Amino acid sequence: MTTGKAVLAIRSGRPPGAPANRLRIWWTGIALLIAGGLFLQAGFAGAMLSGSAFALGAHKLTASILIAATLVSSLVATVSLRRIENGTRFGVTLLVLALALALQFAVGKLSANGANLLWLHVPLGVALVGLAAHAIRGARRLSAHDRMN
């Protein structure tokens, strides 16, 4: 009796799970980079609170890069992983993370302009780290199974 993986391997000429393993490693790396960027943001926030002059510009620049990178990653993941089990879910997780980052950016900008919103900005930053961890788990759950077969 043949398994679905063996049939898929014969059809594609590749060992079962090889492309998905590479995808899983690639997307896990991207999710880890996004999470690392969030920790970098926390470091810049601490430097701002300590009075370092460079930290405000670095915090703002890193936030913009994180939003753009996460949004682009979510779109690429949603399109390229649509046939991979858990791929669409992972893409949506990245999209939610990008939207939450944009909200965080807006709240931070309002706080910098004098609005009393640090009470929201700080806990939202902590929640973003949790959401990034969820994205890492989602990347690790990308399956070797093609949903279309």
Side-chain angles (χ1 to χ4, degrees), residues 23-36 38 66 69-71 73-74 77 81 86-98 100-101 127-142:
L23 283 173
R24 189 175 17 250
I25 291 166
W26 176 255
W27 284 108
T28 299
I30 290 171
L32 284 166
L33 285 172
I34 291 168
L38 287 169
L66 270 172
T70 306
L71 183 59
S73 296
S74 73
L81 299 174
N86 296 319
T88 303
R89 179 178 291 168
F90 174 65
V92 170
T93 299
L94 288 177
L95 180 60
V96 169
L97 181 57
L101 283 164
L128 285 169
V129 172
L131 191 52
H134 183 69
I136 293 166
R137 274 192 314 275
R140 290 180 177 161
R141 288 185 177 146
L142 292 173

Side-chain angles (χ1 to χ4, degrees), residues 15-113:
N21 286 338
R22 282 191 297 260
L23 283 173
R24 189 175 17 250
I25 291 166
W26 176 255
W27 284 108
T28 299
I30 290 171
L32 284 166
L33 285 172
I34 291 168
L38 287 169
F39 279 105
L40 187 62
Q41 280 293 81
F44 289 143
M48 275 192 312
L49 293 173
S50 297
S52 294
F54 80 95
L56 179 61
H59 191 68
K60 186 176 178 181
L61 177 65
T62 305
S64 299
I65 292 169
L66 270 172
I67 292 168
T70 306
L71 183 59
V72 169
S73 296
S74 73
L75 298 175
V76 170
T78 301
V79 171
S80 67
L81 299 174
R82 69 185 180 279
R83 300 180 100 191
I84 301 292
E85 193 174 332
N86 296 319
T88 303
R89 179 178 291 168
F90 174 65
V92 170
T93 299
L94 288 177
L95 180 60
V96 169
L97 181 57
L99 294 174
L101 283 164
L103 175 64
Q104 175 74 329
F105 185 85
V107 170
K109 193 161 183 76
L110 289 170
S111 294
N113 291 333

Side-chain angles (χ1 to χ4, degrees), residues 82-84 145-149:
R82 69 185 180 279
R83 300 180 100 191
I84 301 292
H145 302 297
D146 190 332
R147 287 191 303 177
M148 302 311 256
N149 285 332

